[in-house]
Amino acid sequence: MSTASPTDIRIPRDLLPADGRFGCGPSKVRPEAVRALADAAGDYLGTSHRQKGVRSVVGRLRSGLSELFSLPDGYEVVLGNGGTTCFWDAATFCLVERHSQHLSFGEFSSKFAAAVAATPHLDAPEVIESAPGTHPEAVAREGVDLYALTHNETSTGVAMEVRRPAGASGLVAVDATSAAGGLRVDAAEFDCYYFAPQKCFAADGGLWVAACSPAAVERIERLRGSGRWVPAFLDLGIALENSRLDQTYNTPALATLFLFAEQLGWMLHNGGLEWAASRSDRSAATLYGWAERSDYATPFVTDPAQRSHVVGTIDLDARIDAKAMSAALRANGVVDTDSYRKLGRNQVRIGMFPGIDPDDVAALTACIDHVAGALS
Ligand SMILES: Cc1ncc(COP(=O)(O)O)c(C=O)c1O
């Protein structure tokens, strides 16, 4: 082993990606969007979120997301403050009627199940687990009024197809925090597709968005009238009323809304979800193809059909210390390639959201090879 510190390793400039941000959230914000924000700032930042300027951005977001996801008539885009974690709590009050079923296959998918399990007014949830690096399947059951799926498990790099369990009558609610905008989805297969904009939508965190079917809206409205106590901040009925007016219940981060709308506009302008997902497909083909050819790197997810095209997890063999690898990359301006801390593997994790240039993913693999050579 070399005795030099990993951070002393110098990657030749011609190998480096044009942009070195590969984090899985917050993830790369396109410089063009930041410039557009700076250009608009004088009339936009520091203005009321109840007035036309900000509300028109929220309106653009709501209609743009309907277009991006080809939402059928009657679906509504609802938004509020607090990010996905807040939405889980809101769902325990306003979406789960009594009994939910959860697919649990990593850190994030387990969290919603834990939130429901801790909720005194709900029955204990059914939790179907599978080992990290795989995903389980939902099973239709009588008495389940909400099926909780996760489109992309960010902690492990596993993606699953969004599909209603055959014969199920409950709502299908999908955590799409790291999937929305980068993986294909058919709106007929979900009732609530919720996410936050710090990943594919290349903005900051702190906001949640939910595309809701008429059945989900009906559930929200019915539970609202049921007498169940709901904290106002977590009340999806209040969020729905405000969203219909293109505003949020309390003050949102205006820069986040703007960056989100810019990224969405960029996707729609270039061809929509199919175009955005194709960029992630290209990055994923590059990353997994490289790992499969490598003699020291292996895709963590063994089933190619379950490998995420937006979050790639690559195990390194014992000769290459992944922490040293990420430290060396970081010292060269290539950042946030660390694996998910609680997974505890000798692994790098690579964001491949649509905003990340597929050519930069190719450059990243060359950088990793260079560092691996220097480390071993
Ligand atoms: C799949 C998934 N769900 C939920 C969350 C939590 O989102 P937030 O930080 O917006 O609460 C994350 C964050 O990384 C995530 O990746």
Side-chain angles (χ1 to χ4, degrees), residues 82-86 88 108 150 152-154 175 177-178 196 198-199:
T84 297
T85 305
C86 179
W88 286 327
F108 296 105
T150 300
N152 190 74
E153 178 45 81
T154 320
D175 178 352
T177 305
S178 52
Q198 68 270 22
K199 300 181 195 275

